[in-house]
Amino acid sequence: MGNGVKESTARVREDAEAILPSPVSSKSDHRQVLSSLLSGALAGALAKTAVAPLDRTKIIFQVSSKRFSAKEAFRLLYFTYLNEGFFSLWRGNSATMVRVVPYAAIQFSAHEEYKRVLGRYYGFRGEALPPWPRLLAGALAGTTAASLTYPLDLVRARMAVTPKEMYSNIFHVFIRISREEGLKTLYHGFTPTVLGVIPYAGLSFFTYETLKSLHREYSGRPQPYPFERMIFGACAGLIGQSASYPLDVVRRRMQTAGVTGHPHASIVGTLQAIVREEGAVRGLYKGLSMNWLKGPIAVGISFTTFDLMQILLRHLQS
């Protein structure tokens, strides 16, 4: 009788130990989250800084009714450099960093967590998730990051399309918007942002993870070389941005409506105005060719930096 009770108690203790996270496991999880946050922040900062002049030029065309062409885009870059100086090409990049660093940190960290959660649910390791959960992990990560950092994205867009005299710094943008247009303006354009982030982040992470998985399967090497990661990231960026681009144009138009003369309108109203004034293809895909240049570069740098930082931090921890 006594032995039966002891055995039963021991089994209960073993079951509890299996269910409850141990202090060592919890500490390891915290390290993984911090590692993902740090790697993601650096990845986002490097990627966005590298393509900031192209990004600013794209936004200027997106929010205006000017016809886009590569020649006009590079002419705009050149005259901006002549009239305002070299560093003006990075105008708004400080606001971009304030947004991108937390955005990328949250997105990459959330993606790792969603992979782990979905991996446990489906009985797979994060890297070997089936296609649909792999797509879902990316979409959820992008949505989480966008929801938490959206006002900073709006501020960055405002700074990119206005002269220096209008807004002196990031805080000045927040103050003027809250005074002149109301606090709710800080989330103007949020719906098309989330609708665009779901296919963009979902397809980007899905494509990158799928290409890495195929590489492991056919090359026999556990890790791709850095230049291969760049290529995989470039493909991911090309597919993700092409799928979500019309919503990106709508988002920018809604974000900058208060300073470009366009009336504040709903998603449908903004779409109709763009199509009516500029045509469906020319208006909704304005600047896409520049995105095909900057997008793959930025996403390639971002994914590659994140992976290499993760590998480095794991080596340092061990």
Side-chain angles (χ1 to χ4, degrees):
M1 177 85 177
N3 287 339
V5 171
K6 285 179 183 176
E7 286 173 7
S8 176
T9 305
R11 276 198 299 273
V12 169
R13 188 182 296 115
E14 285 171 6
D15 290 343
E17 285 173 355
I19 295 168
L20 297 172
S22 69
V24 174
S25 172
S26 179
K27 193 174 179 181
S28 173
D29 287 345
H30 289 154
R31 274 209 208 102
Q32 284 180 339
V33 171
L34 287 172
S35 170
S36 297
L37 286 169
L38 179 61
S39 302
L42 182 62
L46 284 177
K48 277 296 184 181
T49 300
V51 298
L54 295 175
D55 205 26
R56 181 173 185 257
T57 303
K58 181 202 74 172
I59 292 172
I60 290 170
F61 275 99
Q62 281 183 330
V63 302
S64 72
S65 54
K66 294 178 185 174
R67 185 173 177 177
F68 177 84
S69 69
K71 183 180 177 182
E72 286 299 316
F74 285 106
R75 181 179 290 174
L76 176 61
L77 278 168
Y78 179 66
F79 280 110
T80 302
Y81 162 69
L82 284 183
N83 297 328
E84 300 179 44
F86 179 71
F87 289 107
S88 68
L89 296 172
W90 276 265
R91 173 160 167 72
N93 197 49
S94 58
T96 301
M97 289 301 102
V98 171
R99 180 192 74 92
V100 161
V101 168
Y103 179 91
I106 293 167
Q107 180 175 242
F108 277 108
S109 182
H111 183 248
E112 294 299 304
E113 290 305 306
Y114 286 129
K115 279 202 303 182
R116 274 193 280 273
V117 169
L118 291 169
R120 283 196 294 269
Y121 182 80
Y122 285 98
F124 289 89
R125 289 183 298 109
E127 294 79 18
L129 281 172
W132 280 112
R134 195 181 300 166
L135 186 68
L136 180 61
L140 287 171
T143 304
T144 302
S147 301
L148 294 174
T149 62
Y150 184 77
L152 294 168
D153 185 41
L154 183 138
V155 167
R156 191 274 294 226
R158 287 286 181 98
M159 289 190 75
V161 301
T162 53
K164 288 185 285 187
E165 298 76 26
M166 188 163 185
Y167 297 121
S168 55
N169 54 50
I170 298 165
F171 299 108
H172 189 209
V173 185
F174 276 111
I175 292 166
R176 283 196 61 175
I177 288 175
S178 60
R179 281 180 184 169
E180 298 170 11
E181 302 173 55
L183 286 172
K184 67 178 182 180
T185 303
L186 291 172
Y187 272 87
H188 197 62
F190 176 68
T191 305
T193 297
V194 171
L195 292 176
V197 157
I198 290 170
Y200 170 66
L203 286 169
S204 294
F205 279 107
F206 171 81
T207 303
Y208 186 68
E209 295 288 331
T210 300
L211 289 173
K212 285 202 301 182
S213 179
L214 290 171
H215 174 272
R216 274 193 301 273
E217 185 180 338
Y218 289 104
S219 73
R221 287 187 280 117
Q223 295 291 346
Y225 295 127
F227 78 89
E228 290 172 325
R229 292 181 195 275
M230 283 286 290
I231 294 169
F232 298 161
C235 292
L238 194 64
I239 292 169
Q241 291 192 336
S242 298
S244 62
Y245 195 78
L247 284 164
D248 190 44
V249 174
V250 172
R251 167 177 68 121
R252 292 301 183 204
R253 190 65 70 88
M254 291 177 74
Q255 285 177 336
T256 59
V259 294
T260 57
H262 294 106
H264 287 291
S266 63
I267 299 173
V268 175
T270 305
L271 267 169
Q272 288 174 339
I274 292 170
V275 172
R276 185 173 59 250
E277 294 168 13
E278 305 171 54
V281 175
R282 188 175 293 167
L284 293 175
Y285 287 90
K286 181 191 290 186
L288 179 60
S289 56
M290 179 163 283
N291 238 37
W292 283 341
L293 174 63
K294 81 169 190 66
I297 295 171
V299 179
I301 291 172
S302 183
F303 278 128
T304 303
T305 303
F306 178 79
D307 278 357
L308 295 180
M309 275 295 293
Q310 286 285 84
I311 292 167
L312 174 63
L313 290 171
R314 275 197 293 270
H315 280 311
L316 290 175
Q317 286 171 7
S318 62

